[in-house]
Amino acid sequence: MSKSIKAMLPLFGFILISSCAHGQKESQPTGGKGDVVSALKAAGFQERKADTPEKTRELHGLTQNRIVAHESNRGTFFTYADGDDCGCVYVGDVAAYERFQKIAVQRGISDRQRTAVDEPSHARIDWDLWNIPAG
């Protein structure tokens, strides 16, 4: 082996290790709010703006930045309240939630961000206020 190749071996090793480490970072789960909102929209969740004082009050009473499962006489719905950035709530039915799950897994969104939590008893949503049709 020539002296110039032997001299470059440590550099090649460094490049190889750096590329492996860089590849591992990219495969880490994501789950920032923008990633989640993008996946919700792609799955068919509908954005409902808090465009009245009553909706704004209700929006801020909902669990924020988490998917929440709601059972009602209209069926099962899932919400994602975003009172800080968009001033809205994203609403989807069971089919939209299932599509979201597939998209979220494909995009590497973390388990915590893609798993629905049960509706807290104090955070009931007024379906009529948000124009959510019966399921």
Side-chain angles (χ1 to χ4, degrees):
M1 209 182 297
S2 75
K3 288 184 181 182
S4 61
I5 291 177
K6 283 183 182 179
M8 294 185 75
L9 281 177
L11 177 62
F12 291 135
F14 175 76
I15 292 170
L16 180 63
I17 290 170
S18 295
S19 349
C20 290
H22 180 71
Q24 288 175 347
K25 285 181 187 175
E26 289 181 12
S27 67
Q28 295 286 325
T30 60
K33 187 170 13 177
D35 296 330
V36 173
V37 168
S38 172
L40 289 168
K41 288 178 179 180
F45 274 67
Q46 299 297 307
E47 181 181 301
R48 301 282 201 246
K49 289 285 187 187
D51 53 6
T52 67
E54 190 176 359
K55 285 181 180 177
T56 300
R57 261 191 313 280
E58 183 161 298
L59 172 63
H60 288 286
L62 297 172
T63 301
Q64 298 291 304
N65 304 315
R66 289 295 309 267
I67 298 172
V68 179
H70 301 268
E71 294 289 334
S72 76
N73 59 353
R74 295 173 189 239
T76 302
F77 286 92
F78 298 86
T79 61
Y80 184 90
D82 183 359
D84 294 328
D85 290 333
C86 80
C88 67
V89 61
Y90 296 93
V91 181
D93 59 12
V94 173
Y97 179 70
E98 288 172 355
R99 285 190 300 271
F100 167 76
Q101 288 296 312
K102 290 177 184 170
I103 292 166
V105 168
Q106 291 169 351
R107 295 183 182 181
I109 294 173
S110 71
D111 287 345
R112 181 183 186 283
Q113 287 296 327
R114 70 173 185 260
T115 303
V117 296
D118 289 330
E119 171 188 38
S121 58
H122 68 277
R124 299 277 178 212
I125 190 165
D126 181 344
W127 299 107
D128 292 325
L129 178 67
W130 296 95
N131 295 321
I132 308 300

